[in-house]
Amino acid sequence: MSGEPTPYPPYPSFLCYVLVEGPVHGSGAVLPFVLAVQRTATPDDALRWLQRQARWVADRLDPDPAVSPWVVPAMRTDRVPVPDAPTEIRVWSDAPDEERAARARLDQGVAVSVVIPDGPDRYTFAICPQRAPVRRRPRPFIVLAHFLKR
């Protein structure tokens, strides 16, 4: 052993969260509300978690007509007449190009986020790389000196 400090990976964890911001009825205030938070060890785990959360949020806002058992064929349409937040969330979470771009940013230590509006509300899906301090091993002579003082 050389006695040199053993550094951790530059980004040993990733803080992932889903946030919704919207007006509080009757007060005029716009407040954030955290829907989910997770810390992961790898960018792949972070992206997988965020994609699952995005699909979960989209399905709670509006069940996916392609897979919902109670949607009959007559209810399915080819296009939505207006921009639809659940559809935008699903498209974003399933886009391989978006995933590759997000992975490249995370590898560089840059946070990734997407904000999707839904009327007066906004949904934020984000991953933030978290740095850790370099862990240094104590030098043997310092430890020995500490015990010799007793």
Side-chain angles (χ1 to χ4, degrees):
M1 293 232 239
S2 66
E4 291 294 316
T6 305
Y8 284 112
Y11 300 101
S13 70
F14 297 84
L15 178 65
C16 315
Y17 63 90
V18 180
L19 180 77
V20 62
E21 295 175 90
V24 177
H25 297 290
S27 70
V30 175
L31 295 176
F33 183 79
V34 177
L35 295 177
V37 175
Q38 178 72 31
R39 187 174 301 274
T40 64
T42 67
D44 290 332
D45 289 343
L47 287 167
R48 267 192 299 273
W49 183 86
L50 201 63
Q51 289 168 338
R52 280 194 313 268
Q53 292 301 313
R55 288 184 208 107
W56 186 87
V57 167
D59 286 341
R60 290 333 176 255
L61 291 173
D62 184 20
D64 189 356
V67 296
S68 292
W70 59 82
V71 176
V72 296
M75 296 169 69
R76 292 186 173 95
T77 61
D78 290 336
R79 22 188 331 230
V80 177
V82 294
D84 179 48
T87 302
E88 288 183 38
I89 293 170
R90 284 186 192 96
V91 167
W92 170 78
S93 71
D94 294 334
D97 293 338
E98 293 284 338
E99 184 177 352
R100 276 192 294 278
R103 174 59 197 257
R105 289 177 58 102
L106 290 173
D107 286 343
Q108 296 171 357
V110 178
V112 172
S113 69
V114 64
V115 178
I116 299 176
D118 185 25
D121 303 328
R122 328 182 306 172
Y123 291 88
T124 303
F125 301 89
I127 302 171
C128 300
Q130 303 287 297
R131 283 198 185 271
V134 174
R135 182 178 183 187
R136 300 190 185 275
R137 294 184 183 161
R139 294 188 180 155
F141 67 86
I142 294 174
V143 174
L144 183 59
H146 175 72
F147 286 110
L148 292 176
K149 286 182 184 178
R150 292 183 178 184

